[in-house]
Amino acid sequence: MKNTIKVERAKKDITQAGLAEQIGVSRQTINAIEKGKFVPSTLLALKMARYFECKVEEIFSLEDND
């Protein structure tokens, strides 16, 4: 699964740690999601979308091999 979390964080000028605190996860979780090593739950994806004020589909997209 591809994502644009790093880009969205840059737009809001927030660190991984800052985003993690806002949505209630660890910085390591944000890092793993950004690197594609962890697929977030639906609830976590929705929390991120709400924080970034966009749709889940604007942050996450499926790759051909997903």
Side-chain angles (χ1 to χ4, degrees), residues 11 16 20-22 24-27 29-31 33 40-41 43 45 50 52-54 57 63 65:
K11 288 179 188 176
Q16 287 181 344
E21 185 176 324
Q22 290 294 316
V25 297
S26 70
R27 184 203 58 78
T29 298
I30 300 299
N31 186 42
I33 294 170
S41 67
L43 180 60
R50 179 181 290 164
F52 291 123
E53 300 173 343
C54 65
E57 295 88 348
E63 295 180 302
N65 59 353

PDB file of all heavy atoms in Angstrom, residues 11 16 20-22 24-27 29-31 33 40-41 43 45 50 52-54 57 63 65:
ATOM      1  N   LYS A  11       3.200  19.399   4.646  1.00  0.00           N
ATOM      2  CA  LYS A  11       2.233  20.488   4.414  1.00  0.00           C
ATOM      3  C   LYS A  11       1.800  21.130   5.726  1.00  0.00           C
ATOM      4  O   LYS A  11       1.594  22.334   5.798  1.00  0.00           O
ATOM      5  CB  LYS A  11       0.986  19.965   3.698  1.00  0.00           C
ATOM      6  CG  LYS A  11       1.196  19.607   2.252  1.00  0.00           C
ATOM      7  CD  LYS A  11      -0.121  19.086   1.673  1.00  0.00           C
ATOM      8  CE  LYS A  11       0.027  18.513   0.295  1.00  0.00           C
ATOM      9  NZ  LYS A  11      -1.239  17.937  -0.203  1.00  0.00           N
ATOM     10  N   GLN A  16       6.903  13.281  12.799  1.00  0.00           N
ATOM     11  CA  GLN A  16       6.302  11.973  13.039  1.00  0.00           C
ATOM     12  C   GLN A  16       5.805  11.890  14.482  1.00  0.00           C
ATOM     13  O   GLN A  16       4.706  11.404  14.741  1.00  0.00           O
ATOM     14  CB  GLN A  16       7.305  10.852  12.775  1.00  0.00           C
ATOM     15  CG  GLN A  16       7.606  10.603  11.328  1.00  0.00           C
ATOM     16  CD  GLN A  16       8.589   9.466  11.132  1.00  0.00           C
ATOM     17  OE1 GLN A  16       9.272   9.031  12.052  1.00  0.00           O
ATOM     18  NE2 GLN A  16       8.668   8.976   9.897  1.00  0.00           N
ATOM     19  N   ALA A  20       1.986  11.372  15.667  1.00  0.00           N
ATOM     20  CA  ALA A  20       1.706  10.220  16.527  1.00  0.00           C
ATOM     21  C   ALA A  20       0.943  10.653  17.778  1.00  0.00           C
ATOM     22  O   ALA A  20      -0.040  10.021  18.169  1.00  0.00           O
ATOM     23  CB  ALA A  20       3.010   9.526  16.903  1.00  0.00           C
ATOM     24  N   GLU A  21       1.375  11.736  18.387  1.00  0.00           N
ATOM     25  CA  GLU A  21       0.715  12.239  19.587  1.00  0.00           C
ATOM     26  C   GLU A  21      -0.725  12.662  19.283  1.00  0.00           C
ATOM     27  O   GLU A  21      -1.639  12.387  20.052  1.00  0.00           O
ATOM     28  CB  GLU A  21       1.495  13.423  20.159  1.00  0.00           C
ATOM     29  CG  GLU A  21       0.949  13.932  21.459  1.00  0.00           C
ATOM     30  CD  GLU A  21       1.794  15.050  22.048  1.00  0.00           C
ATOM     31  OE1 GLU A  21       3.021  15.008  21.911  1.00  0.00           O
ATOM     32  OE2 GLU A  21       1.192  15.966  22.643  1.00  0.00           O
ATOM     33  N   GLN A  22      -0.921  13.313  18.147  1.00  0.00           N
ATOM     34  CA  GLN A  22      -2.253  13.786  17.777  1.00  0.00           C
ATOM     35  C   GLN A  22      -3.254  12.652  17.564  1.00  0.00           C
ATOM     36  O   GLN A  22      -4.435  12.815  17.852  1.00  0.00           O
ATOM     37  CB  GLN A  22      -2.179  14.629  16.491  1.00  0.00           C
ATOM     38  CG  GLN A  22      -1.510  15.962  16.654  1.00  0.00           C
ATOM     39  CD  GLN A  22      -2.311  16.895  17.547  1.00  0.00           C
ATOM     40  OE1 GLN A  22      -3.518  17.000  17.424  1.00  0.00           O
ATOM     41  NE2 GLN A  22      -1.619  17.569  18.448  1.00  0.00           N
ATOM     42  N   GLY A  24      -2.734   9.343  18.665  1.00  0.00           N
ATOM     43  CA  GLY A  24      -2.680   8.335  19.720  1.00  0.00           C
ATOM     44  C   GLY A  24      -1.923   7.056  19.406  1.00  0.00           C
ATOM     45  O   GLY A  24      -2.328   5.979  19.835  1.00  0.00           O
ATOM     46  N   VAL A  25      -0.818   7.184  18.659  1.00  0.00           N
ATOM     47  CA  VAL A  25       0.039   6.024  18.387  1.00  0.00           C
ATOM     48  C   VAL A  25       1.490   6.422  18.668  1.00  0.00           C
ATOM     49  O   VAL A  25       1.768   7.566  18.995  1.00  0.00           O
ATOM     50  CB  VAL A  25      -0.097   5.518  16.925  1.00  0.00           C
ATOM     51  CG1 VAL A  25      -1.511   5.035  16.654  1.00  0.00           C
ATOM     52  CG2 VAL A  25       0.300   6.586  15.922  1.00  0.00           C
ATOM     53  N   SER A  26       2.408   5.494  18.479  1.00  0.00           N
ATOM     54  CA  SER A  26       3.823   5.807  18.696  1.00  0.00           C
ATOM     55  C   SER A  26       4.447   6.382  17.423  1.00  0.00           C
ATOM     56  O   SER A  26       3.928   6.193  16.322  1.00  0.00           O
ATOM     57  CB  SER A  26       4.589   4.547  19.106  1.00  0.00           C
ATOM     58  OG  SER A  26       4.678   3.656  18.006  1.00  0.00           O
ATOM     59  N   ARG A  27       5.566   7.067  17.588  1.00  0.00           N
ATOM     60  CA  ARG A  27       6.304   7.587  16.439  1.00  0.00           C
ATOM     61  C   ARG A  27       6.749   6.441  15.548  1.00  0.00           C
ATOM     62  O   ARG A  27       6.754   6.545  14.324  1.00  0.00           O
ATOM     63  CB  ARG A  27       7.515   8.407  16.894  1.00  0.00           C
ATOM     64  CG  ARG A  27       8.246   9.056  15.712  1.00  0.00           C
ATOM     65  CD  ARG A  27       9.690   9.394  16.028  1.00  0.00           C
ATOM     66  NE  ARG A  27      10.492   8.267  16.435  1.00  0.00           N
ATOM     67  CZ  ARG A  27      11.008   7.350  15.597  1.00  0.00           C
ATOM     68  NH1 ARG A  27      10.781   7.408  14.305  1.00  0.00           N
ATOM     69  NH2 ARG A  27      11.749   6.363  16.069  1.00  0.00           N
ATOM     70  N   THR A  29       5.200   3.730  14.942  1.00  0.00           N
ATOM     71  CA  THR A  29       4.068   3.314  14.104  1.00  0.00           C
ATOM     72  C   THR A  29       3.957   4.204  12.878  1.00  0.00           C
ATOM     73  O   THR A  29       3.789   3.711  11.756  1.00  0.00           O
ATOM     74  CB  THR A  29       2.754   3.346  14.913  1.00  0.00           C
ATOM     75  OG1 THR A  29       2.861   2.426  16.000  1.00  0.00           O
ATOM     76  CG2 THR A  29       1.558   2.994  14.048  1.00  0.00           C
ATOM     77  N   ILE A  30       4.068   5.510  13.067  1.00  0.00           N
ATOM     78  CA  ILE A  30       4.008   6.443  11.933  1.00  0.00           C
ATOM     79  C   ILE A  30       5.149   6.147  10.968  1.00  0.00           C
ATOM     80  O   ILE A  30       4.956   6.096   9.747  1.00  0.00           O
ATOM     81  CB  ILE A  30       4.073   7.914  12.408  1.00  0.00           C
ATOM     82  CG1 ILE A  30       2.907   8.234  13.343  1.00  0.00           C
ATOM     83  CG2 ILE A  30       4.118   8.864  11.218  1.00  0.00           C
ATOM     84  CD1 ILE A  30       1.533   8.076  12.749  1.00  0.00           C
ATOM     85  N   ASN A  31       6.337   5.933  11.493  1.00  0.00           N
ATOM     86  CA  ASN A  31       7.502   5.629  10.669  1.00  0.00           C
ATOM     87  C   ASN A  31       7.270   4.356   9.851  1.00  0.00           C
ATOM     88  O   ASN A  31       7.542   4.319   8.649  1.00  0.00           O
ATOM     89  CB  ASN A  31       8.742   5.485  11.559  1.00  0.00           C
ATOM     90  CG  ASN A  31      10.012   5.325  10.759  1.00  0.00           C
ATOM     91  OD1 ASN A  31      10.214   6.005   9.759  1.00  0.00           O
ATOM     92  ND2 ASN A  31      10.858   4.427  11.191  1.00  0.00           N
ATOM     93  N   ILE A  33       4.416   2.976   8.977  1.00  0.00           N
ATOM     94  CA  ILE A  33       3.383   3.205   7.962  1.00  0.00           C
ATOM     95  C   ILE A  33       3.972   3.959   6.778  1.00  0.00           C
ATOM     96  O   ILE A  33       3.744   3.598   5.619  1.00  0.00           O
ATOM     97  CB  ILE A  33       2.179   3.969   8.554  1.00  0.00           C
ATOM     98  CG1 ILE A  33       1.472   3.110   9.601  1.00  0.00           C
ATOM     99  CG2 ILE A  33       1.204   4.373   7.445  1.00  0.00           C
ATOM    100  CD1 ILE A  33       0.429   3.868  10.408  1.00  0.00           C
ATOM    101  N   PRO A  40      -2.044   0.348   8.309  1.00  0.00           N
ATOM    102  CA  PRO A  40      -2.848   0.784   9.445  1.00  0.00           C
ATOM    103  C   PRO A  40      -4.247   0.173   9.432  1.00  0.00           C
ATOM    104  O   PRO A  40      -4.766  -0.195   8.380  1.00  0.00           O
ATOM    105  CB  PRO A  40      -2.921   2.303   9.260  1.00  0.00           C
ATOM    106  CG  PRO A  40      -2.805   2.490   7.798  1.00  0.00           C
ATOM    107  CD  PRO A  40      -1.841   1.426   7.341  1.00  0.00           C
ATOM    108  N   SER A  41      -4.840   0.113  10.605  1.00  0.00           N
ATOM    109  CA  SER A  41      -6.229  -0.329  10.707  1.00  0.00           C
ATOM    110  C   SER A  41      -7.121   0.719  10.059  1.00  0.00           C
ATOM    111  O   SER A  41      -6.697   1.863   9.823  1.00  0.00           O
ATOM    112  CB  SER A  41      -6.624  -0.487  12.180  1.00  0.00           C
ATOM    113  OG  SER A  41      -6.631   0.788  12.816  1.00  0.00           O
ATOM    114  N   LEU A  43      -9.576   2.220  11.466  1.00  0.00           N
ATOM    115  CA  LEU A  43      -9.742   3.292  12.444  1.00  0.00           C
ATOM    116  C   LEU A  43      -8.565   4.263  12.407  1.00  0.00           C
ATOM    117  O   LEU A  43      -8.749   5.489  12.391  1.00  0.00           O
ATOM    118  CB  LEU A  43      -9.902   2.712  13.853  1.00  0.00           C
ATOM    119  CG  LEU A  43     -10.077   3.725  14.978  1.00  0.00           C
ATOM    120  CD1 LEU A  43     -11.319   4.577  14.758  1.00  0.00           C
ATOM    121  CD2 LEU A  43     -10.152   3.010  16.315  1.00  0.00           C
ATOM    122  N   ALA A  45      -6.453   4.773   9.898  1.00  0.00           N
ATOM    123  CA  ALA A  45      -6.474   5.483   8.622  1.00  0.00           C
ATOM    124  C   ALA A  45      -7.495   6.619   8.656  1.00  0.00           C
ATOM    125  O   ALA A  45      -7.231   7.716   8.153  1.00  0.00           O
ATOM    126  CB  ALA A  45      -6.785   4.514   7.493  1.00  0.00           C
ATOM    127  N   ARG A  50      -8.866  12.397   9.086  1.00  0.00           N
ATOM    128  CA  ARG A  50      -9.516  13.492   9.817  1.00  0.00           C
ATOM    129  C   ARG A  50      -8.485  14.553  10.197  1.00  0.00           C
ATOM    130  O   ARG A  50      -8.715  15.743  10.041  1.00  0.00           O
ATOM    131  CB  ARG A  50     -10.205  12.969  11.071  1.00  0.00           C
ATOM    132  CG  ARG A  50     -10.876  14.090  11.858  1.00  0.00           C
ATOM    133  CD  ARG A  50     -11.533  13.604  13.103  1.00  0.00           C
ATOM    134  NE  ARG A  50     -12.702  12.806  12.753  1.00  0.00           N
ATOM    135  CZ  ARG A  50     -13.309  11.987  13.591  1.00  0.00           C
ATOM    136  NH1 ARG A  50     -12.855  11.823  14.813  1.00  0.00           N
ATOM    137  NH2 ARG A  50     -14.370  11.318  13.215  1.00  0.00           N
ATOM    138  N   PHE A  52      -5.629  15.248   8.726  1.00  0.00           N
ATOM    139  CA  PHE A  52      -5.158  15.959   7.535  1.00  0.00           C
ATOM    140  C   PHE A  52      -6.291  16.616   6.742  1.00  0.00           C
ATOM    141  O   PHE A  52      -6.053  17.242   5.715  1.00  0.00           O
ATOM    142  CB  PHE A  52      -4.365  15.016   6.623  1.00  0.00           C
ATOM    143  CG  PHE A  52      -3.045  14.594   7.199  1.00  0.00           C
ATOM    144  CD1 PHE A  52      -2.738  13.253   7.379  1.00  0.00           C
ATOM    145  CD2 PHE A  52      -2.096  15.531   7.575  1.00  0.00           C
ATOM    146  CE1 PHE A  52      -1.513  12.853   7.904  1.00  0.00           C
ATOM    147  CE2 PHE A  52      -0.871  15.152   8.105  1.00  0.00           C
ATOM    148  CZ  PHE A  52      -0.582  13.814   8.271  1.00  0.00           C
ATOM    149  N   GLU A  53      -7.526  16.452   7.229  1.00  0.00           N
ATOM    150  CA  GLU A  53      -8.704  17.061   6.600  1.00  0.00           C
ATOM    151  C   GLU A  53      -8.844  16.650   5.138  1.00  0.00           C
ATOM    152  O   GLU A  53      -8.959  17.493   4.241  1.00  0.00           O
ATOM    153  CB  GLU A  53      -8.664  18.585   6.749  1.00  0.00           C
ATOM    154  CG  GLU A  53      -8.641  19.039   8.190  1.00  0.00           C
ATOM    155  CD  GLU A  53      -8.442  20.529   8.347  1.00  0.00           C
ATOM    156  OE1 GLU A  53      -8.003  21.204   7.390  1.00  0.00           O
ATOM    157  OE2 GLU A  53      -8.734  21.030   9.445  1.00  0.00           O
ATOM    158  N   CYS A  54      -8.787  15.338   4.918  1.00  0.00           N
ATOM    159  CA  CYS A  54      -8.937  14.805   3.567  1.00  0.00           C
ATOM    160  C   CYS A  54      -9.561  13.421   3.641  1.00  0.00           C
ATOM    161  O   CYS A  54      -9.847  12.920   4.714  1.00  0.00           O
ATOM    162  CB  CYS A  54      -7.594  14.767   2.852  1.00  0.00           C
ATOM    163  SG  CYS A  54      -6.400  13.631   3.586  1.00  0.00           S
ATOM    164  N   GLU A  57      -8.651   7.929   0.836  1.00  0.00           N
ATOM    165  CA  GLU A  57      -8.114   7.619  -0.489  1.00  0.00           C
ATOM    166  C   GLU A  57      -7.070   8.626  -0.965  1.00  0.00           C
ATOM    167  O   GLU A  57      -6.303   8.342  -1.865  1.00  0.00           O
ATOM    168  CB  GLU A  57      -9.241   7.550  -1.531  1.00  0.00           C
ATOM    169  CG  GLU A  57     -10.208   6.427  -1.294  1.00  0.00           C
ATOM    170  CD  GLU A  57     -11.359   6.797  -0.356  1.00  0.00           C
ATOM    171  OE1 GLU A  57     -11.298   7.865   0.304  1.00  0.00           O
ATOM    172  OE2 GLU A  57     -12.307   6.020  -0.270  1.00  0.00           O
ATOM    173  N   GLU A  63      -1.414  -0.752  -4.336  1.00  0.00           N
ATOM    174  CA  GLU A  63      -0.495  -1.020  -5.421  1.00  0.00           C
ATOM    175  C   GLU A  63      -0.971  -2.289  -6.126  1.00  0.00           C
ATOM    176  O   GLU A  63      -1.789  -3.030  -5.585  1.00  0.00           O
ATOM    177  CB  GLU A  63       0.920  -1.214  -4.887  1.00  0.00           C
ATOM    178  CG  GLU A  63       1.484   0.052  -4.259  1.00  0.00           C
ATOM    179  CD  GLU A  63       2.892  -0.150  -3.737  1.00  0.00           C
ATOM    180  OE1 GLU A  63       3.084  -1.026  -2.890  1.00  0.00           O
ATOM    181  OE2 GLU A  63       3.768   0.586  -4.179  1.00  0.00           O
ATOM    182  N   ASN A  65       0.342  -5.113  -6.494  1.00  0.00           N
ATOM    183  CA  ASN A  65       0.635  -6.365  -5.788  1.00  0.00           C
ATOM    184  C   ASN A  65      -0.059  -6.480  -4.446  1.00  0.00           C
ATOM    185  O   ASN A  65       0.149  -7.421  -3.710  1.00  0.00           O
ATOM    186  CB  ASN A  65       2.147  -6.561  -5.621  1.00  0.00           C
ATOM    187  CG  ASN A  65       2.791  -5.428  -4.839  1.00  0.00           C
ATOM    188  OD1 ASN A  65       2.150  -4.435  -4.517  1.00  0.00           O
ATOM    189  ND2 ASN A  65       4.070  -5.563  -4.540  1.00  0.00           N
TER     190      ASN A  65
END
